[in-house]
Short mmCIF file of all heavy atoms in Angstrom, two decimals:
data_model
loop_
_atom_site.label_atom_id
_atom_site.label_comp_id
_atom_site.label_asym_id
_atom_site.label_seq_id
_atom_site.Cartn_x
_atom_site.Cartn_y
_atom_site.Cartn_z
N MET A 1 111.52 129.70 86.61
CA MET A 1 111.71 130.82 85.70
C MET A 1 111.18 132.04 86.41
O MET A 1 110.07 132.04 86.95
CB MET A 1 110.96 130.58 84.40
CG MET A 1 111.45 129.42 83.58
SD MET A 1 110.49 129.14 82.08
CE MET A 1 109.21 128.06 82.72
N THR A 2 111.93 133.09 86.40
CA THR A 2 111.50 134.33 87.03
C THR A 2 111.78 135.51 86.13
O THR A 2 112.71 135.49 85.29
CB THR A 2 112.17 134.57 88.39
OG1 THR A 2 113.56 134.70 88.17
CG2 THR A 2 111.90 133.41 89.33
N LYS A 3 111.06 136.56 86.32
CA LYS A 3 111.27 137.81 85.63
C LYS A 3 110.65 138.92 86.50
O LYS A 3 109.45 139.09 86.48
CB LYS A 3 110.66 137.76 84.25
CG LYS A 3 111.07 138.87 83.34
CD LYS A 3 112.42 138.59 82.75
CE LYS A 3 112.74 139.61 81.68
NZ LYS A 3 113.96 139.37 80.99
N LYS A 4 111.46 139.55 87.35
CA LYS A 4 111.05 140.62 88.23
C LYS A 4 109.87 140.21 89.10
O LYS A 4 110.03 139.49 90.08
CB LYS A 4 110.74 141.87 87.43
CG LYS A 4 111.92 142.30 86.57
CD LYS A 4 112.14 143.71 86.52
CE LYS A 4 113.30 143.94 85.61
NZ LYS A 4 113.96 145.10 85.72
N ASP A 5 108.62 140.56 88.78
CA ASP A 5 107.48 140.34 89.62
C ASP A 5 106.67 139.13 89.24
O ASP A 5 105.59 138.90 89.76
CB ASP A 5 106.59 141.58 89.69
CG ASP A 5 106.05 141.94 88.32
OD1 ASP A 5 106.63 141.46 87.30
OD2 ASP A 5 105.07 142.72 88.24
N ARG A 6 107.15 138.29 88.29
CA ARG A 6 106.43 137.11 87.85
C ARG A 6 107.34 135.88 87.98
O ARG A 6 108.55 135.98 87.79
CB ARG A 6 105.99 137.25 86.38
CG ARG A 6 105.03 138.40 86.19
CD ARG A 6 104.73 138.56 84.74
NE ARG A 6 105.98 138.78 83.98
CZ ARG A 6 106.20 139.85 83.27
NH1 ARG A 6 105.33 140.80 83.16
NH2 ARG A 6 107.36 139.98 82.61
N SER A 7 106.70 134.76 88.25
CA SER A 7 107.57 133.55 88.33
C SER A 7 106.70 132.29 88.07
O SER A 7 105.49 132.30 88.20
CB SER A 7 108.21 133.41 89.70
OG SER A 7 107.25 133.18 90.70
N ILE A 8 107.43 131.25 87.64
CA ILE A 8 106.88 129.91 87.50
C ILE A 8 107.83 128.99 88.23
O ILE A 8 109.00 128.91 87.85
CB ILE A 8 106.75 129.50 86.02
CG1 ILE A 8 105.79 130.43 85.26
CG2 ILE A 8 106.29 128.06 85.88
CD1 ILE A 8 105.77 130.21 83.77
N SER A 9 107.33 128.31 89.25
CA SER A 9 108.16 127.42 90.04
C SER A 9 107.75 125.97 89.79
O SER A 9 106.58 125.62 89.76
CB SER A 9 107.96 127.68 91.57
OG SER A 9 108.32 129.01 91.83
N ILE A 10 108.77 125.11 89.64
CA ILE A 10 108.51 123.71 89.39
C ILE A 10 109.20 122.91 90.47
O ILE A 10 110.41 123.11 90.73
CB ILE A 10 109.04 123.25 88.00
CG1 ILE A 10 108.33 124.04 86.91
CG2 ILE A 10 108.87 121.73 87.82
CD1 ILE A 10 108.91 123.86 85.53
N THR A 11 108.47 122.00 91.13
CA THR A 11 109.01 121.15 92.17
C THR A 11 108.79 119.71 91.81
O THR A 11 107.64 119.32 91.41
CB THR A 11 108.31 121.47 93.52
OG1 THR A 11 108.45 122.84 93.80
CG2 THR A 11 108.94 120.66 94.66
N ARG A 12 109.79 118.89 91.90
CA ARG A 12 109.66 117.46 91.64
C ARG A 12 109.16 116.78 92.91
O ARG A 12 109.80 116.82 93.94
CB ARG A 12 110.98 116.89 91.22
CG ARG A 12 110.95 115.38 90.98
CD ARG A 12 112.28 114.88 90.52
NE ARG A 12 112.06 114.29 89.21
CZ ARG A 12 113.03 114.04 88.34
NH1 ARG A 12 114.24 114.35 88.62
NH2 ARG A 12 112.70 113.49 87.17
N LEU A 13 108.01 116.10 92.80
CA LEU A 13 107.44 115.39 93.91
C LEU A 13 107.93 113.97 94.02
O LEU A 13 108.14 113.46 95.10
CB LEU A 13 105.90 115.41 93.82
CG LEU A 13 105.23 116.74 93.76
CD1 LEU A 13 103.73 116.62 93.50
CD2 LEU A 13 105.49 117.55 95.03
N SER A 14 108.11 113.33 92.89
CA SER A 14 108.64 111.99 92.83
C SER A 14 109.30 111.80 91.47
O SER A 14 109.46 112.79 90.72
CB SER A 14 107.55 110.94 93.02
OG SER A 14 106.68 110.93 91.93
N GLU A 15 109.65 110.60 91.12
CA GLU A 15 110.35 110.34 89.85
C GLU A 15 109.57 110.85 88.67
O GLU A 15 110.13 111.41 87.73
CB GLU A 15 110.58 108.83 89.71
CG GLU A 15 111.39 108.48 88.50
CD GLU A 15 112.81 108.94 88.52
OE1 GLU A 15 113.39 109.04 89.65
OE2 GLU A 15 113.38 109.22 87.45
N ASN A 16 108.26 110.71 88.66
CA ASN A 16 107.42 111.09 87.49
C ASN A 16 106.33 112.10 87.80
O ASN A 16 105.55 112.39 86.93
CB ASN A 16 106.76 109.84 86.92
CG ASN A 16 107.77 108.84 86.38
OD1 ASN A 16 108.75 109.24 85.76
ND2 ASN A 16 107.56 107.58 86.65
N LEU A 17 106.31 112.67 89.00
CA LEU A 17 105.31 113.66 89.31
C LEU A 17 105.92 115.00 89.67
O LEU A 17 106.94 115.08 90.38
CB LEU A 17 104.45 113.18 90.49
CG LEU A 17 103.52 112.00 90.19
CD1 LEU A 17 102.77 111.62 91.46
CD2 LEU A 17 102.53 112.35 89.09
N PHE A 18 105.28 116.09 89.22
CA PHE A 18 105.75 117.43 89.42
C PHE A 18 104.65 118.32 89.93
O PHE A 18 103.46 118.05 89.69
CB PHE A 18 106.33 118.01 88.12
CG PHE A 18 107.49 117.25 87.58
CD1 PHE A 18 107.33 116.15 86.77
CD2 PHE A 18 108.78 117.62 87.92
CE1 PHE A 18 108.39 115.44 86.27
CE2 PHE A 18 109.86 116.93 87.44
CZ PHE A 18 109.67 115.84 86.63
N PHE A 19 105.06 119.42 90.57
CA PHE A 19 104.15 120.43 91.08
C PHE A 19 104.60 121.76 90.45
O PHE A 19 105.75 122.12 90.50
CB PHE A 19 104.28 120.52 92.62
CG PHE A 19 103.52 121.64 93.25
CD1 PHE A 19 102.16 121.53 93.48
CD2 PHE A 19 104.17 122.80 93.64
CE1 PHE A 19 101.48 122.53 94.10
CE2 PHE A 19 103.48 123.84 94.26
CZ PHE A 19 102.11 123.69 94.48
N LEU A 20 103.66 122.49 89.79
CA LEU A 20 103.98 123.74 89.15
C LEU A 20 103.18 124.86 89.81
O LEU A 20 101.96 124.69 90.03
CB LEU A 20 103.66 123.67 87.66
CG LEU A 20 104.12 124.86 86.83
CD1 LEU A 20 104.63 124.37 85.48
CD2 LEU A 20 103.00 125.82 86.63
N GLU A 21 103.82 125.96 90.14
CA GLU A 21 103.18 127.10 90.74
C GLU A 21 103.39 128.33 89.89
O GLU A 21 104.53 128.67 89.55
CB GLU A 21 103.74 127.32 92.15
CG GLU A 21 103.04 128.42 92.92
CD GLU A 21 103.55 128.52 94.34
OE1 GLU A 21 104.64 127.96 94.63
OE2 GLU A 21 102.88 129.15 95.14
N GLU A 22 102.33 128.99 89.49
CA GLU A 22 102.36 130.18 88.68
C GLU A 22 102.06 131.39 89.58
O GLU A 22 101.05 131.44 90.28
CB GLU A 22 101.31 130.10 87.56
CG GLU A 22 101.18 131.38 86.74
CD GLU A 22 99.99 131.34 85.80
OE1 GLU A 22 99.15 130.41 85.87
OE2 GLU A 22 99.93 132.22 84.96
N ASP A 23 102.93 132.39 89.58
CA ASP A 23 102.73 133.61 90.33
C ASP A 23 103.02 134.78 89.41
O ASP A 23 104.13 135.25 89.25
CB ASP A 23 103.71 133.66 91.56
CG ASP A 23 103.44 134.85 92.43
OD1 ASP A 23 102.44 135.55 92.25
OD2 ASP A 23 104.28 135.07 93.36
N GLY A 24 101.95 135.24 88.78
CA GLY A 24 102.10 136.30 87.75
C GLY A 24 100.79 136.99 87.56
O GLY A 24 100.21 137.51 88.49
N PHE A 25 100.31 136.99 86.28
CA PHE A 25 99.00 137.55 86.00
C PHE A 25 97.91 136.84 86.80
O PHE A 25 96.97 137.44 87.28
CB PHE A 25 98.67 137.48 84.52
CG PHE A 25 99.58 138.36 83.69
CD1 PHE A 25 100.48 137.81 82.83
CD2 PHE A 25 99.52 139.72 83.79
CE1 PHE A 25 101.31 138.57 82.05
CE2 PHE A 25 100.38 140.54 83.03
CZ PHE A 25 101.26 139.94 82.17
N LYS A 26 98.09 135.54 86.95
CA LYS A 26 97.22 134.73 87.77
C LYS A 26 98.09 133.98 88.77
O LYS A 26 99.25 133.69 88.51
CB LYS A 26 96.44 133.72 86.95
CG LYS A 26 95.50 134.36 85.93
CD LYS A 26 94.77 133.28 85.16
CE LYS A 26 93.88 133.96 84.13
NZ LYS A 26 93.22 133.00 83.25
N ILE A 27 97.54 133.66 89.91
CA ILE A 27 98.23 132.86 90.91
C ILE A 27 97.51 131.52 90.97
O ILE A 27 96.41 131.42 91.45
CB ILE A 27 98.25 133.54 92.30
CG1 ILE A 27 98.97 134.90 92.18
CG2 ILE A 27 98.89 132.65 93.35
CD1 ILE A 27 98.93 135.72 93.41
N ARG A 28 98.20 130.50 90.42
CA ARG A 28 97.58 129.15 90.33
C ARG A 28 98.62 128.11 90.66
O ARG A 28 99.81 128.33 90.56
CB ARG A 28 97.07 128.87 88.91
CG ARG A 28 96.03 129.86 88.43
CD ARG A 28 95.46 129.45 87.10
NE ARG A 28 96.45 129.73 86.06
CZ ARG A 28 96.21 129.55 84.74
NH1 ARG A 28 95.03 129.13 84.36
NH2 ARG A 28 97.11 129.79 83.88
N THR A 29 98.13 126.94 91.03
CA THR A 29 98.99 125.78 91.28
C THR A 29 98.43 124.59 90.47
O THR A 29 97.24 124.45 90.30
CB THR A 29 99.06 125.40 92.74
OG1 THR A 29 97.74 125.07 93.25
CG2 THR A 29 99.66 126.52 93.61
N PHE A 30 99.37 123.76 90.01
CA PHE A 30 99.03 122.56 89.28
C PHE A 30 99.76 121.39 89.93
O PHE A 30 100.99 121.44 90.06
CB PHE A 30 99.46 122.70 87.81
CG PHE A 30 98.84 123.91 87.10
CD1 PHE A 30 99.48 125.15 87.12
CD2 PHE A 30 97.64 123.79 86.46
CE1 PHE A 30 98.95 126.20 86.50
CE2 PHE A 30 97.11 124.91 85.82
CZ PHE A 30 97.73 126.13 85.82
N GLU A 31 99.02 120.45 90.37
CA GLU A 31 99.59 119.34 91.13
C GLU A 31 99.57 118.03 90.33
O GLU A 31 98.73 117.84 89.44
CB GLU A 31 98.86 119.13 92.43
CG GLU A 31 98.92 120.33 93.36
CD GLU A 31 98.17 120.10 94.64
OE1 GLU A 31 97.77 118.97 94.93
OE2 GLU A 31 97.97 121.09 95.38
N ASP A 32 100.49 117.14 90.68
CA ASP A 32 100.53 115.77 90.11
C ASP A 32 100.61 115.76 88.60
O ASP A 32 99.85 115.05 87.94
CB ASP A 32 99.36 114.93 90.60
CG ASP A 32 99.36 114.80 92.12
OD1 ASP A 32 100.45 114.81 92.70
OD2 ASP A 32 98.27 114.65 92.68
N LEU A 33 101.51 116.56 88.03
CA LEU A 33 101.73 116.59 86.59
C LEU A 33 102.78 115.55 86.21
O LEU A 33 103.80 115.43 86.92
CB LEU A 33 102.18 117.95 86.15
CG LEU A 33 101.26 119.14 86.45
CD1 LEU A 33 102.01 120.45 86.16
CD2 LEU A 33 100.04 119.06 85.56
N ASP A 34 102.56 114.84 85.11
CA ASP A 34 103.66 113.97 84.62
C ASP A 34 104.55 114.84 83.71
O ASP A 34 104.30 116.01 83.50
CB ASP A 34 103.11 112.74 83.90
CG ASP A 34 102.34 113.04 82.64
OD1 ASP A 34 102.49 114.14 82.04
OD2 ASP A 34 101.52 112.21 82.22
N LYS A 35 105.65 114.22 83.23
CA LYS A 35 106.62 115.00 82.45
C LYS A 35 106.01 115.61 81.19
O LYS A 35 106.30 116.76 80.87
CB LYS A 35 107.82 114.10 82.05
CG LYS A 35 108.66 113.75 83.22
CD LYS A 35 109.82 112.87 82.78
CE LYS A 35 110.65 112.49 84.00
NZ LYS A 35 111.82 111.69 83.60
N HIS A 36 105.17 114.87 80.51
CA HIS A 36 104.53 115.37 79.29
C HIS A 36 103.65 116.57 79.60
O HIS A 36 103.70 117.62 78.93
CB HIS A 36 103.74 114.25 78.59
CG HIS A 36 103.09 114.70 77.34
ND1 HIS A 36 101.88 115.32 77.28
CD2 HIS A 36 103.50 114.62 76.04
CE1 HIS A 36 101.56 115.63 76.05
NE2 HIS A 36 102.53 115.18 75.27
N GLN A 37 102.84 116.44 80.63
CA GLN A 37 101.94 117.57 80.99
C GLN A 37 102.75 118.77 81.45
O GLN A 37 102.37 119.93 81.16
CB GLN A 37 101.02 117.12 82.15
CG GLN A 37 100.00 116.10 81.75
CD GLN A 37 99.27 115.53 82.96
OE1 GLN A 37 99.89 115.31 84.02
NE2 GLN A 37 97.98 115.32 82.85
N LEU A 38 103.81 118.52 82.17
CA LEU A 38 104.68 119.62 82.69
C LEU A 38 105.29 120.43 81.54
O LEU A 38 105.22 121.66 81.55
CB LEU A 38 105.76 119.08 83.59
CG LEU A 38 106.76 120.08 84.12
CD1 LEU A 38 106.08 121.02 85.10
CD2 LEU A 38 107.93 119.42 84.75
N VAL A 39 105.84 119.76 80.57
CA VAL A 39 106.48 120.46 79.42
C VAL A 39 105.43 121.26 78.65
O VAL A 39 105.67 122.42 78.34
CB VAL A 39 107.19 119.44 78.51
CG1 VAL A 39 107.61 120.10 77.22
CG2 VAL A 39 108.36 118.81 79.21
N LYS A 40 104.30 120.64 78.40
CA LYS A 40 103.24 121.32 77.63
C LYS A 40 102.73 122.57 78.37
O LYS A 40 102.61 123.67 77.82
CB LYS A 40 102.09 120.35 77.39
CG LYS A 40 101.05 120.88 76.45
CD LYS A 40 100.03 119.81 76.10
CE LYS A 40 98.94 120.34 75.23
NZ LYS A 40 97.96 119.33 74.88
N LEU A 41 102.46 122.42 79.69
CA LEU A 41 101.93 123.52 80.47
C LEU A 41 103.00 124.59 80.69
O LEU A 41 102.67 125.80 80.59
CB LEU A 41 101.45 122.97 81.84
CG LEU A 41 100.83 124.01 82.80
CD1 LEU A 41 99.62 124.66 82.13
CD2 LEU A 41 100.45 123.35 84.09
N SER A 42 104.23 124.25 80.93
CA SER A 42 105.25 125.26 81.18
C SER A 42 105.51 126.09 79.93
O SER A 42 105.74 127.30 79.99
CB SER A 42 106.54 124.67 81.68
OG SER A 42 107.09 123.76 80.77
N LYS A 43 105.44 125.48 78.75
CA LYS A 43 105.62 126.28 77.45
C LYS A 43 104.45 127.25 77.32
O LYS A 43 104.67 128.39 76.94
CB LYS A 43 105.68 125.30 76.30
CG LYS A 43 107.01 124.60 76.15
CD LYS A 43 107.04 123.73 74.93
CE LYS A 43 108.33 122.98 74.83
NZ LYS A 43 108.36 122.10 73.62
N LYS A 44 103.25 126.78 77.63
CA LYS A 44 102.06 127.66 77.49
C LYS A 44 102.15 128.81 78.49
O LYS A 44 101.92 129.95 78.10
CB LYS A 44 100.80 126.81 77.76
CG LYS A 44 99.55 127.60 77.62
CD LYS A 44 98.30 126.71 77.87
CE LYS A 44 97.04 127.53 77.87
NZ LYS A 44 95.87 126.69 78.19
N LEU A 45 102.52 128.53 79.72
CA LEU A 45 102.62 129.58 80.74
C LEU A 45 103.74 130.54 80.43
O LEU A 45 103.65 131.74 80.69
CB LEU A 45 102.79 128.99 82.13
CG LEU A 45 101.59 128.21 82.67
CD1 LEU A 45 101.93 127.61 84.04
CD2 LEU A 45 100.38 129.12 82.77
N LYS A 46 104.85 130.04 79.88
CA LYS A 46 105.98 130.94 79.51
C LYS A 46 105.52 131.94 78.48
O LYS A 46 105.86 133.13 78.59
CB LYS A 46 107.12 130.08 78.94
CG LYS A 46 108.33 130.94 78.54
CD LYS A 46 109.27 130.09 77.73
CE LYS A 46 109.70 130.69 76.45
NZ LYS A 46 109.10 131.61 75.66
N ASP A 47 104.76 131.52 77.51
CA ASP A 47 104.23 132.44 76.49
C ASP A 47 103.26 133.48 77.08
O ASP A 47 103.22 134.57 76.60
CB ASP A 47 103.59 131.67 75.36
CG ASP A 47 104.57 130.91 74.54
OD1 ASP A 47 105.78 131.18 74.57
OD2 ASP A 47 104.16 129.94 73.83
N ILE A 48 102.52 133.05 78.07
CA ILE A 48 101.55 133.98 78.72
C ILE A 48 102.29 134.95 79.64
O ILE A 48 102.07 136.16 79.57
CB ILE A 48 100.51 133.18 79.52
CG1 ILE A 48 99.60 132.41 78.55
CG2 ILE A 48 99.64 134.13 80.37
CD1 ILE A 48 98.68 131.41 79.19
N GLU A 49 103.12 134.47 80.52
CA GLU A 49 103.78 135.26 81.52
C GLU A 49 104.92 136.10 80.98
O GLU A 49 105.18 137.18 81.48
CB GLU A 49 104.27 134.40 82.68
CG GLU A 49 103.19 133.72 83.50
CD GLU A 49 102.34 134.71 84.26
OE1 GLU A 49 102.82 135.84 84.59
OE2 GLU A 49 101.17 134.39 84.54
N PHE A 50 105.63 135.56 80.01
CA PHE A 50 106.84 136.26 79.53
C PHE A 50 106.79 136.36 77.98
O PHE A 50 107.65 135.78 77.28
CB PHE A 50 108.08 135.44 79.93
CG PHE A 50 108.09 135.01 81.38
CD1 PHE A 50 107.93 133.68 81.68
CD2 PHE A 50 108.23 135.91 82.39
CE1 PHE A 50 107.94 133.25 83.03
CE2 PHE A 50 108.26 135.51 83.70
CZ PHE A 50 108.11 134.20 84.04
N PRO A 51 105.83 137.07 77.42
CA PRO A 51 105.59 137.05 75.99
C PRO A 51 106.73 137.63 75.14
O PRO A 51 107.01 137.15 74.04
CB PRO A 51 104.31 137.87 75.80
CG PRO A 51 104.25 138.73 77.00
CD PRO A 51 104.89 137.96 78.10
N ARG A 52 107.44 138.62 75.60
CA ARG A 52 108.47 139.28 74.81
C ARG A 52 109.85 139.09 75.43
O ARG A 52 110.79 139.79 75.06
CB ARG A 52 108.17 140.78 74.69
CG ARG A 52 106.93 141.04 73.85
CD ARG A 52 106.56 142.51 73.82
NE ARG A 52 106.27 143.08 75.11
CZ ARG A 52 105.12 142.93 75.78
NH1 ARG A 52 104.13 142.24 75.25
NH2 ARG A 52 104.96 143.47 76.96
N SER A 53 110.01 138.16 76.33
CA SER A 53 111.28 137.96 77.02
C SER A 53 112.21 137.07 76.21
O SER A 53 111.82 136.02 75.72
CB SER A 53 111.04 137.35 78.38
OG SER A 53 110.32 138.23 79.18
N ASN A 54 113.46 137.53 76.11
CA ASN A 54 114.50 136.73 75.50
C ASN A 54 115.35 136.05 76.54
O ASN A 54 116.00 135.04 76.26
CB ASN A 54 115.39 137.59 74.63
CG ASN A 54 114.63 138.13 73.43
OD1 ASN A 54 113.76 137.47 72.89
ND2 ASN A 54 114.92 139.37 73.06
N ILE A 55 115.32 136.57 77.78
CA ILE A 55 116.14 136.04 78.84
C ILE A 55 115.23 135.71 80.04
O ILE A 55 114.42 136.54 80.46
CB ILE A 55 117.20 137.04 79.31
CG1 ILE A 55 118.16 137.35 78.14
CG2 ILE A 55 117.96 136.51 80.50
CD1 ILE A 55 119.11 138.46 78.48
N LEU A 56 115.37 134.52 80.55
CA LEU A 56 114.64 134.06 81.75
C LEU A 56 115.67 133.66 82.78
O LEU A 56 116.71 133.12 82.44
CB LEU A 56 113.68 132.93 81.44
CG LEU A 56 112.56 133.22 80.51
CD1 LEU A 56 111.76 131.95 80.20
CD2 LEU A 56 111.62 134.29 81.08
N TYR A 57 115.36 133.87 84.05
CA TYR A 57 116.28 133.52 85.12
C TYR A 57 115.83 132.19 85.74
O TYR A 57 114.68 132.06 86.09
CB TYR A 57 116.31 134.60 86.20
CG TYR A 57 116.74 135.95 85.65
CD1 TYR A 57 115.79 136.92 85.30
CD2 TYR A 57 118.08 136.22 85.40
CE1 TYR A 57 116.22 138.12 84.77
CE2 TYR A 57 118.48 137.39 84.88
CZ TYR A 57 117.54 138.38 84.54
OH TYR A 57 117.95 139.56 84.00
N VAL A 58 116.71 131.26 85.82
CA VAL A 58 116.41 129.95 86.39
C VAL A 58 117.18 129.86 87.69
O VAL A 58 118.41 130.02 87.72
CB VAL A 58 116.80 128.83 85.42
CG1 VAL A 58 116.50 127.47 86.03
CG2 VAL A 58 116.03 128.99 84.12
N LYS A 59 116.50 129.53 88.80
CA LYS A 59 117.14 129.39 90.09
C LYS A 59 117.43 127.97 90.37
O LYS A 59 116.73 127.07 89.99
CB LYS A 59 116.25 129.93 91.21
CG LYS A 59 116.08 131.42 91.14
CD LYS A 59 115.23 131.86 92.31
CE LYS A 59 115.01 133.33 92.25
NZ LYS A 59 114.21 133.79 93.40
#
């Protein structure tokens, strides 16, 4: 998900593990997330990074 100068990148490491990288208000990485953790964290970060956005760009 991207929006001009902010982004959240998700990379699949294996069948059940993901890597999430936040580049916005904070620059953080989250490693070895399962699907449940990934969904929960990405929703939380979306609300923080893109609070008033109706459109997000997915690459």
Side-chain angles (χ1 to χ4, degrees):
M1 295 179 272
T2 64
K3 193 79 171 184
K4 305 218 183 203
D5 60 343
R6 298 175 301 240
S7 67
I8 297 172
S9 301
I10 299 170
T11 305
R12 178 179 239 161
L13 301 175
S14 69
E15 185 67 29
N16 296 318
L17 290 178
F18 297 87
F19 174 80
L20 188 141
E21 185 175 15
E22 174 188 11
D23 185 10
F25 293 113
K26 296 180 182 176
I27 298 174
R28 300 185 287 185
T29 59
F30 302 90
E31 299 180 11
D32 299 330
L33 300 169
D34 64 22
K35 289 181 182 182
H36 181 275
Q37 292 171 320
L38 177 69
V39 170
K40 188 174 179 180
L41 182 59
S42 61
K43 285 181 181 180
K44 181 179 175 183
L45 292 177
K46 181 193 130 333
D47 291 340
I48 292 170
E49 293 294 335
F50 315 109
R52 292 175 300 280
S53 295
N54 295 324
I55 298 173
L56 296 175
Y57 301 99
V58 178
K59 293 183 180 181

